[in-house]
Amino acid sequence: MFSKNNESFTCINCGKKVEEHPTSSRDHCNHCLVGLHVDIDPGDRLNECKGILEPIGLKTVNNKEQIVYKCLKCSKTLFCVTAPDDNREKVVELAQLRWEDSL
Ligand SMILES: [Zn+2]
Ligand SMILES: [Zn+2]
C-alpha cells in the first residue's frame, strides 16, 4: 500500500478498501480519513516516518478544504486536501473540532 502515488489500498485504521483517487493522488482513507505519513512534499512518498496521521481538524485555503493531520509518530502537523469522495460526515465532524486552540 502507498507504494505508488495513486493506488487503491486497504486502510490500516478501518480496514476498508480505498479506491484510487478520481483526479489526484490518494493520501488518506476516504472512509475514516486516517492517513499515513509517507510524503515530504504531497505525493512524493519519500518520507521514512510512515506513522499514522490522525485527522484533528479542518481548514479552508483558497476555497479548498484541507484536513489537518497530526502524525502520531513524529508529532508533525500537516495538511491534506479533501478528496471528492471523502466521508462527508467525518469531514463535518472535523470542521467542528477547534484544533487551532490546541496547537
Ligand atoms: Zn480508513
Ligand atoms: Zn511522521
Side-chain angles (χ1 to χ4, degrees):
M1 62 184 183
F2 284 109
S3 59
K4 278 189 190 161
N5 282 6
N6 192 25
E7 230 181 22
S8 61
F9 60 91
T10 303
C11 176
I12 51 160
N13 182 57
C14 69
K16 286 184 184 161
K17 183 137 198 285
V18 183
E19 301 295 339
E20 290 172 22
H21 193 293
T23 55
S24 180
S25 73
R26 183 72 80 188
D27 50 22
H28 58 270
C29 173
N30 62 321
H31 306 288
C32 68
L33 307 183
V34 165
L36 277 184
H37 200 188
V38 293
D39 293 344
I40 297 172
D41 288 315
D44 64 13
R45 304 298 189 261
L46 293 175
N47 201 315
E48 296 289 304
C49 175
K50 298 186 174 55
I52 291 176
L53 295 178
E54 186 184 24
I56 58 168
L58 193 77
K59 69 170 190 170
T60 306
V61 179
N62 298 329
N63 289 323
K64 277 190 178 167
E65 284 176 329
Q66 294 188 346
I67 300 172
V68 184
Y69 283 104
K70 185 158 180 119
C71 179
L72 297 182
K73 196 168 163 190
C74 71
S75 298
K76 268 195 187 138
T77 302
L78 58 154
F79 309 97
C80 292
V81 178
T82 54
D85 56 356
D86 276 352
N87 183 334
R88 288 313 299 178
E89 274 179 39
K90 289 274 181 191
V91 172
V92 168
E93 276 175 31
L94 286 180
Q96 289 162 354
L97 297 177
R98 296 176 58 82
W99 62 274
E100 277 165 304
D101 293 351
S102 60
L103 287 181

